[in-house]
């Protein structure tokens, strides 16, 4: 670097010297170093032409200055006169000017007095050397004679350093100066034009100034270039190089223009010769030609000096740019190598099975393939060291260490990758050995189990069995583990605690199998040596068989359930016993075969589950590393469009979270159930909460697909796909999580199908139900996020329970007057969303777009608070309809489901919500009643309460029955009824009226249908569940149109006044809405205001009926912490 700086300083110094020489030379050529005067400065004075330099020469080459006849000669200012003479005497070369000038003073048309004055003035002001003064005296007779006389008498006064010759005519003048050196006005032939001469002199002098200015500008520019500090980044260096190059090009253009200017001047000087070769240039023209040529030579010298300096400066900038590029690439490659090294360090697992090791080896190979480009780029960058050295780069001292570092990192990565591969190959070798040993053990056990026991009773059969065993044992040389300690020593560097334990188990299994073979060999050898002569086998008689103690029924069942392996472990195989065993095996064989087949099928499903799970995890990792991580890779940044940057979270959602869950938790848990496939349901149940992450992924999927469609043609995605060698594009892999979550339920169904009678069947069923629930929640959430126009927070409405499209009619009551809402005959198409706290009515919009964008959107219309909702399950005339009503049927919505099954599902779900609200109200009421009881500790009269033990039994029974009703609401047509107080307890405050409910945004709570026993208990146990007559106002809880008078009908929510009590539980009432009177069952009424201070409870209809009573009264407002409302406007 120091050497380069020294070279640059020398180059700048040389440039300055050469350009200074050019400037001085230009001044010398134009004599500006002696008389700094330019024609342009005195152009107006020269145009007067009272003196001019025609270019003529005397006999010895003296320049001729002519003073033509100028009438106003005496009026010329002295300063102008001196400037013109000084300028004219500076034009000829120093050599010619040194000889002296010849002055020709033309005064032929003047007077003697003027001649005398002119000569005296010229003699006094002439700045140069004079050789001869020639005066053309006046031509008039009088003035001519006068001039002769006067000249003689004033000769001493006119005496000059040179002789003055008075000439009478032009012919006499030609005797002193050749005719060719005189202008036409003096009788000569010299071609002279004063304006042309003035223009040419101005051009030559302008060109000389241009040459000098160019040299000076190049000096300043060279100094600027040399003093510029080199930037530290690529962009600034590139910008500086471009700026300097642009300035250099401008300077070169200025030089080119100056050269053209000089060539044009030179061409104008030599134009007469070019046009007429016989033309002879006068001395002045020749001097001009020489001047211009010398100036052009200096200009070329200027250009050459600057070009040489620029080459060195450009080389410095280019080397600087190359250095900055190298440093930038070094930082990027170094960062990429660090990432590769970090990922390589994650390959610490040596695998717990052969398939696992193969999977890791495949991952390592994929990693090595992906990192190959990075390593290759690093090595190529490091190889540039020699090129820097050969180019004599000024910063080679800082480049060499970086190149060495890259070589070292690449070598270290290669070595570490090879070490990891060797470890995995060793692990694969060990697992191969273990699998061979296990396979050999399994084959041995199968051999022992497959040898027929009856045939082994003969000598030939025993010998044949022995040969089979010995032949099998011979195959153990290459399959079994010989020395456990040798395995420990050979594979010590890969043996983890788990793997070591696995090796011990395999070795123990091998030893156990060999022990079994040894025992079998001993038994068979005894059988083979025992029979020394042929024996005719005789089958036992049936009587003997029947008399055998083994034929008892209990023993038969025990033997039938025994396994084949237990029979093989017996030491002595008597012929009778072997036949007995064969008999029992034939009876239980088919059952055992079915169970074995199911076990094989379960194992097949389990293998598919684990294999597809591993493939799924690998695909997720491939996407995350091959696409998501590459979006943060500096080496790929130039391929990503600005609009796609910082959009990784939108494109991939929470895929990384899904990958970590499956890779770190779920896959490992699944692998622990590989030997117990029927219990895998427990694995799903343990991780069921973690599967909720799929809901977030699916909700983001529309945004992801929209982003993908915008940039699917991006070069970045194409390059990533090429590197991964994927046949499918990224969008296919982004769909994998959605496909995988739907795949689990299929696999669980298959597993459950083959595990009906297994231990884990219940867990499998529960896991299947939970997975289906998650799929439903995911599907519902996809619809929920499409809701538009809702001002509140949907999350505050609680969990989304159901969603679906329905036909909806409205039938609203406003105040006490029933009015059809627009008399709708045509139903509205509405999409309902049932939450825990509200039901939303939305309008489904058209489906537009592609893919997930084809999902419909839902415009919010209105919602109902579930705290004020009631339902009527059956609507006359249509099994698919049910009613949802609000605020005591102030608003009624008739809902038509697509099918009766959908209707039943929705009704049940709404019933559960309302029941849970009722339960909460009851608990609050019981808590308040308990507090009131504790605050009033007065003893009750003995006649008004039962014994403690009896009360306890009754309350226990009632609680159990209510729990049963809450858990199962079968056969109930309606589910909404308020909580009524038990007899003797009462309400702390009076119940709300309908008007009060409307004013206070009242609510409706769910009540399960009470059976007759519940009604009796709440009614005090008497009267068979009938309500006792209490004067006051009641509200109708069920439509009734079967009165004695056919004209008398009441609707749910109507307000009636009790008049009198009749028979069979009928009351005579007056409908306050219509003014009509009639009979109605007491059970259809709910008391609002009565004469009694404690409200009466309401008994529901029988539990077996299909239509039960609904209530929307706000009677339990105190229990549910609802503020009370004044009822002064209602008279009892």
């Amino acid at each position: 670097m120091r050497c380069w700086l020294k070279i640059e300083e020398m180059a700048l110094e040389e440039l300055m010297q050469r350009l200074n020489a050019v400037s001085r030379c230009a001044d010398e050529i134009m004599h500006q170093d002696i008389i700094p005067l330019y024609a342009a400065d005195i152009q107006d004075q020269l145009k007067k032409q009272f003196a001019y330099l025609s270019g003529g020469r005397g006999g010895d080459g003296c320049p001729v200055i002519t003073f033509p006849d100028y009438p106003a000669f005496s009026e010329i200012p002295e300063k102008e006169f001196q400037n013109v003479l000084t300028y004219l005497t500076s034009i000829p070369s120093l050599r010619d000017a040194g000889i002296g000038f010849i002055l020709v003073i033309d005064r032929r048309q003047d007077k003697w007095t003027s001649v005398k004055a002119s000569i005296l003035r010229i003699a006094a002001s002439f700045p140069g050397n004079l050789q001869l003064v020639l005066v053309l005296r006046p031509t008039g007779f009088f003035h001519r004679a006068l001039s002769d006389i006067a000249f003689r008498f004033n000769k001493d006064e006119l005496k000059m350093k040179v002789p003055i010759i008075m000439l009478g005519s032009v012919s006499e003048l030609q005797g002193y100066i050749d005719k060719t050196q005189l202008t036409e006005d003096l009788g000569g032939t010299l071609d002279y034009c004063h304006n042309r001469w003035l223009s040419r002199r101005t051009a030559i002098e302008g060109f000389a100034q241009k040459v000098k200015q160019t040299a000076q500008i190049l000096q300043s520019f060279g100094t600027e270039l040399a003093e510029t500090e080199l930037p530290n980044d690529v962009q600034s260096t590139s910008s500086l190089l471009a700026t300097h190059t642009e300035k250099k090009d401008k300077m070169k253009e200025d030089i080119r223009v100056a050269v053209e200017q000089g060539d044009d001047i030179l061409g104008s000087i030599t134009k007469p010769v070019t046009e007429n070769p016989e033309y002879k240039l006068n001395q002045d023209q020749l001097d001009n030609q020489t001047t211009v040529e010398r100036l052009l030579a200096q200009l070329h010298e200027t250009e050459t000096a600057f070009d040489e300096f620029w080459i060195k400066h450009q080389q410095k900038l280019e080397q600087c740019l190359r250095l900055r590029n190298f440093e930038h690439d070094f930082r990027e490659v170094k960062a990429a190598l660090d990432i590769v090294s970090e990922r390589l360090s994650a390959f610490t697992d040596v695998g717990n099975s052969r398939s696992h090791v193969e999977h890791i080896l495949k991952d390592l190979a994929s990693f090595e393939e992906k990192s190959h480009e990075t390593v290759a780029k690093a090595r190529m960058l490091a190889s540039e060291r020699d090129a820097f050295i050969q180019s004599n780069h000024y910063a080679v001292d800082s480049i060499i260490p970086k190149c060495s570092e890259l070589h070292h990192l690449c070598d270290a990565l290669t070595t570490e990758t090879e070490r990891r591969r060797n470890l995995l190959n060793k692990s694969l070798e060990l697992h191969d050995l273990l699998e061979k040993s296990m396979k050999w053990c399994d084959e041995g056990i199968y051999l022992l189990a497959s040898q027929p026991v009856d045939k082994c009773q003969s000598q030939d059969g025993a010998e044949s069995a022995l040969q089979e065993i010995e032949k099998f044992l011979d195959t153990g040389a290459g399959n079994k583990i010989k020395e456990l300690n040798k395995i420990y020593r050979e594979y010590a560097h890969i043996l983890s605690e788990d793997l070591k334990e696995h090796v011990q188990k395999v070795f123990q299994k091998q030893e156990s199998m060999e022990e079994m073979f040894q025992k079998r060999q001993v038994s068979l050898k005894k059988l083979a040596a025992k029979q020394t002569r042929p024996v005719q086998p005789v089958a036992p008689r049936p009587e003997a068989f029947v008399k055998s103690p083994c034929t008892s029924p209990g023993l038969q069942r025990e033997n039938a359930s025994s396994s084949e392996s237990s029979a093989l472990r017996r030491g002595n195989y008597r012929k009778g016993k072997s036949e007995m065993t064969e008999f029992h095996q034939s009876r239980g064989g088919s059952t055992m075969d079915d169970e074995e087949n199911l076990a094989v099928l379960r194992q097949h499903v389990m293998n598919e589950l684990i294999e597809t799970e591993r493939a799924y995890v690998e695909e997720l990792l491939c996407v995350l590393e091959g696409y998501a991580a590459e979006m943060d890779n500096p080496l790929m940044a130039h391929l990503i469009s600005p609009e796609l940057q910082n959009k990784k979270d939108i494109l991939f959602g929470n895929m990384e979270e899904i990958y970590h869950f499956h890779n770190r938790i779920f896959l490992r848990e699944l692998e622990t159930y590989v030997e117990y496939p029927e219990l895998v349901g427990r694995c799903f149940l343990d991780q069921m909460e973690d599967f909720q992450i799929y809901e977030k992924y699916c909700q983001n999927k529309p945004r992801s697909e929209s982003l993908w469609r915008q940039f699917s043609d991006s070069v970045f995605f194409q390059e990533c796909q090429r590197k991964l060698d994927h046949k499918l594009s990224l969008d296919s892999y982004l769909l994998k999580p959605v496909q995988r979550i739907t795949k689990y339920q299929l696999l669980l169904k298959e597993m459950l199908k083959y595990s009906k009678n297994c231990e884990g069947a219940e867990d499998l069923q529960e896991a299947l139900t939970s997975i289906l629930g998650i799929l439903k929640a995911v599907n519902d959430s996809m619809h929920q996020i499409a809701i538009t126009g809702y001002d509140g927070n949907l999350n505050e409405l609680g969990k989304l329970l159901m969603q679906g499209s329905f036909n909806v009619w409205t039938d609203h009551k406003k105040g006490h007057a029933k009015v059809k809402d627009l008399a709708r005959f045509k139903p509205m198409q509405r999409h309902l969303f049932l939450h825990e706290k509200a039901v939303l009515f939305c309008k489904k919009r058209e489906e537009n777009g592609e893919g997930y964008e084809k999902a419909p959107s839902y415009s919010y219309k209105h919602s109902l608070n579930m705290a004020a909702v009631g339902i009527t399950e059956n609507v006359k005339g249509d099994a698919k309809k049910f009613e949802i009503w609000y605020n005591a049927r102030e608003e009624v919505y008739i809902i038509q489901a697509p099918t009766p099954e959908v209707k039943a599902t929705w009704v049940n779900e709404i019933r559960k919500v309302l029941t849970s609200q009722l339960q909460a109200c009851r608990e609050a009421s019981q808590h308040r009643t308990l507090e009131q009881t504790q605050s009033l500790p007065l003893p009750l009269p003995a006649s008004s309460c039962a014994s403690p033990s009896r009360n306890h039994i009754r309350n226990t029974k009632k609680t159990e029955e209510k729990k049963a009703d809450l858990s199962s609401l079968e056969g109930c047509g309606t589910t909404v009824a308020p909580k009524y107080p038990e007899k003797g307890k009462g309400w702390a405050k009076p119940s709300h009226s309908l008007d009060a409910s409307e004013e206070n945004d009242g609510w409706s709570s769910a009540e399960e249908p009470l059976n007759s026993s519940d009604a009796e208990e709440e009614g005090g146990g008497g009267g068979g569940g009938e309500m006792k007559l209490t004067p006051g106002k009641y509200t109708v809880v069920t439509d009734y149109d079967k009165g004695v008078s056919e004209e008398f009908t009441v609707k749910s929510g109507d307000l009636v006044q009790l008049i009198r009590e009749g028979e069979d539980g009928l009351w005579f009432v007056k409908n306050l809405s219509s003014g009509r009177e009639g009979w109605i069952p007491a059970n259809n009424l709910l008391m609002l205001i009565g004469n009694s201070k404690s409200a009466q409870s309401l008994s529901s209809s029988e539990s077996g009926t299909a239509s039960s009573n609904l209530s929307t009264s706000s009677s339990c407002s105190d229990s549910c912490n609802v503020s009370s409302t004044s009822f002064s406007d209602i008279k009892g």
Side-chain angles (χ1 to χ4, degrees), residues 459-525:
Q459 184 178 11
D460 293 340
E463 290 177 352
S464 176
L466 276 173
Q467 290 177 1
E468 289 179 353
I469 290 174
E470 291 172 356
K471 183 178 180 181
F472 175 77
L473 291 176
D474 290 340
T475 62
N479 294 318
K480 68 178 184 177
I481 300 175
K482 298 178 181 178
E483 297 182 22
L484 190 59
N485 291 331
K486 184 179 179 181
I487 295 294
Y488 289 161
R489 290 193 303 272
E490 185 175 354
Y491 300 99
H493 49 293
I494 63 169
L495 279 178
S496 60
E497 291 298 326
D498 294 340
L499 188 54
K500 190 172 183 180
E501 182 181 354
H502 182 50
V503 172
Q504 291 174 349
K505 289 181 179 180
V506 173
F507 189 73
Q508 290 173 1
K509 181 177 181 179
Q510 178 182 300
E511 287 184 330
S512 300
M513 190 273 294
E514 289 179 334
E515 184 179 355
M516 293 171 60
F517 267 86
Q518 291 174 2
K519 292 179 179 179
R520 176 66 65 89
Q521 282 179 312
V522 172
S523 300
L524 291 176
K525 286 179 180 178

Side-chain angles (χ1 to χ4, degrees), residues 622-637:
C622 189
V623 172
L624 291 173
E625 289 185 347
Y627 287 97
E630 290 297 306
M631 292 187 74
D632 299 328
N633 186 356
L635 300 178
M636 300 285 286

Side-chain angles (χ1 to χ4, degrees), residues 89-211:
T89 56
S90 67
I91 294 176
S93 65
L94 295 177
R95 183 181 63 81
D96 293 343
I99 298 174
F101 291 88
I102 297 177
L103 301 183
V104 177
I105 303 173
D106 185 6
R107 290 295 178 263
R108 287 175 292 177
Q109 304 298 325
D110 210 345
K111 300 177 181 179
W112 165 247
T113 54
S114 298
V115 173
K116 177 181 177 182
S118 298
I119 294 173
L120 291 174
R121 187 175 187 181
I122 293 171
S125 302
F126 194 80
N129 296 329
L130 286 175
Q131 190 180 40
L132 183 62
V133 177
L134 301 174
V135 180
L136 287 174
R137 60 188 178 184
T139 56
F141 177 81
F142 173 77
H143 290 287
R144 183 174 182 180
L146 183 60
S147 63
D148 289 339
I149 298 170
F151 181 74
R152 292 191 184 96
F153 287 104
N154 296 304
K155 191 172 184 180
D156 294 334
E157 185 181 353
L158 298 175
K159 189 175 183 179
M160 303 175 65
K161 295 180 181 180
V162 293
I164 299 175
I165 301 174
M166 300 296 290
L167 301 175
S169 62
V170 174
S171 58
E172 293 179 7
L173 177 62
Q174 293 175 357
Y176 292 92
I177 301 174
D178 189 82
K179 184 179 181 179
T180 58
Q181 301 300 317
L182 294 174
T183 58
E184 293 180 355
D185 58 336
L186 295 176
T189 60
L190 180 64
D191 183 18
Y192 174 76
C193 176
H194 188 68
N195 290 332
R196 183 179 61 196
W197 174 87
L198 182 60
S199 174
R200 183 168 297 168
R201 288 301 304 177
T202 304
I204 293 174
E205 290 175 358
F207 176 59
Q209 287 181 326
K210 183 73 172 179
V211 172

Side-chain angles (χ1 to χ4, degrees), residues 230-240 320-321 323-325 327-328 331:
L230 299 179
N232 293 322
D233 60 280
V234 174
Q235 184 175 0
S236 299
T237 306
S238 299
S239 177
L240 180 63
C320 178
L321 179 60
L323 174 64
R324 301 298 177 245
N325 280 318
E327 291 173 344
H328 178 265
R331 286 191 294 269

Side-chain angles (χ1 to χ4, degrees), residues 931-940:
E931 289 179 350
Q932 293 174 352
T933 304
Q934 291 175 351
S935 64
L936 299 172
L938 296 176
L940 296 174

